[in-house]
Amino acid sequence: MTALGTGLDRRGATGLPAWAYAIAAVGVALIVVPPLALLFRTPWGTFVDQVTSSSSLDALRLSLTTAATSTVLCLVLGVPMAVIFARHDGVVVRVLRALVLLPLVLPPVVGGLALLYTFGRLGIIGGRLHDAGIDVAFTTTAVVLAQTFVALPFLVISVEGAVRVIGTRYEEVAATLGAGPSRTLWKVTLPLVAPSLVAGLVLSFARALGEFGATITFAGNAPGVTQTAPLAIYVAAVDDPQAAVPLSLILVVISLVVVVGVHSRRRRGEAGAL
């Protein structure tokens, strides 16, 4: 009785009308039902054979390897950018920040086309590399670049927000104690934003793992070379949509683990702060 009363009191305290819950339920259903539909339509009799086939394993292995590599690149490139964006607020920095976050809203196919005209054989950089005997487009390297292009903003925005929140007080104290900028960054700033950094890395990995549009435009769809799991799912779905379900379900499970892990870690961080 007490628990029920407490629950009613909390719901009443929010002041939300009944129609808000109804609309929220529709929104939840819109997101939750499609993955459940995959679960119900999965051909369990041939599930193991399909997900362990050579083509599926090659595509999944390539996805995990390239996603991990692009996540490392996001870490190396994203952390310095995030700290700079958080600590400076000039016009140039604002413009650069907007450009760096552009892949968040840019159609992936457009991003892939931009990468192609940058690193392709006729690209502004790729042309010079081709003359030197180095081709980037339609290689595994292109997959990593495409994934990094779309995933990097997730890490930048996660770390930047955390750096802004902690302020500069601890860094100033470290400076008065004789710590240089590099030591302060490694020993003070990064440990303070570690939860957000981990969350950004996980989200970047998940985004890279699911990348499709930029990859197929810039890297192509060569089995064993550039055909990642999303591309393999697309090819399978063209001939037989049900044949694409098992590998799709694997990616759903991986994504769900990522989301639950990030959310749980964030809740633990908030509880610790309280």
Side-chain angles (χ1 to χ4, degrees):
M1 183 66 179
T2 302
L4 179 59
T6 301
L8 290 174
D9 290 343
R10 287 179 179 174
R11 287 195 294 271
T14 62
L16 293 178
W19 59 261
Y21 289 99
I23 294 177
V26 174
V28 170
L30 179 64
I31 301 298
V32 173
V33 172
L36 291 178
L38 284 177
L39 185 65
F40 291 128
R41 294 302 300 270
T42 298
W44 295 109
T46 59
F47 178 82
V48 176
D49 292 336
Q50 292 189 42
V51 297
T52 58
S53 65
S54 59
S55 58
S56 295
L57 289 177
D58 288 343
L60 190 58
R61 187 182 302 111
L62 181 63
S63 288
L64 293 173
T65 302
T66 54
T69 304
S70 65
T71 302
V72 173
L73 284 177
C74 288
L75 175 65
V76 174
L77 301 175
V79 171
M81 283 195 297
V83 175
I84 291 173
F85 292 162
R87 293 290 180 252
H88 299 277
D89 199 29
V91 175
V92 175
V93 172
R94 293 180 184 178
V95 172
L96 290 176
R97 181 181 183 276
L99 292 175
V100 168
L101 299 183
L102 185 62
L104 288 174
V105 296
L106 192 69
V109 174
V110 176
L113 193 61
L115 288 170
L116 185 62
Y117 281 108
T118 301
F119 296 104
R121 292 185 178 182
L122 302 179
I124 57 177
I125 296 177
R128 297 176 182 271
L129 293 176
H130 177 68
D131 293 339
I134 302 173
D135 288 325
V136 176
F138 306 107
T139 65
T140 305
T141 301
V143 176
V144 175
L145 287 177
Q147 292 175 343
T148 304
F149 179 80
V150 300
L152 182 57
F154 286 88
L155 186 134
V156 172
I157 200 169
S158 297
V159 176
E160 181 193 356
V163 174
R164 288 184 183 275
V165 169
I166 65 171
T168 60
R169 180 178 58 179
Y170 296 105
E171 295 174 350
E172 292 170 354
V173 171
T176 60
L177 295 176
S182 296
R183 185 175 179 81
T184 299
L185 177 64
W186 285 106
K187 298 295 184 179
V188 178
T189 307
L190 292 184
L192 288 174
V193 301
S196 295
L197 175 59
V198 173
L201 285 172
V202 174
L203 291 174
S204 295
F205 175 80
R207 179 65 185 88
L209 188 65
E211 163 51 31
F212 175 84
T215 302
I216 197 171
T217 305
F218 177 48
N221 188 30
V225 180
T226 64
Q227 188 181 78
T228 58
L231 299 184
I233 291 171
Y234 172 76
V235 171
V238 171
D239 297 327
D240 182 7
Q242 193 171 17
V245 173
L247 190 56
S248 299
L249 190 60
I250 294 296
L251 291 188
V252 169
V253 172
I254 294 175
S255 301
L256 183 61
V257 170
V258 167
V259 171
V260 172
V262 171
H263 183 66
S264 299
R265 186 178 183 86
R266 182 168 298 174
R267 288 181 64 89
R268 288 196 298 268
E270 292 174 353
L274 294 174

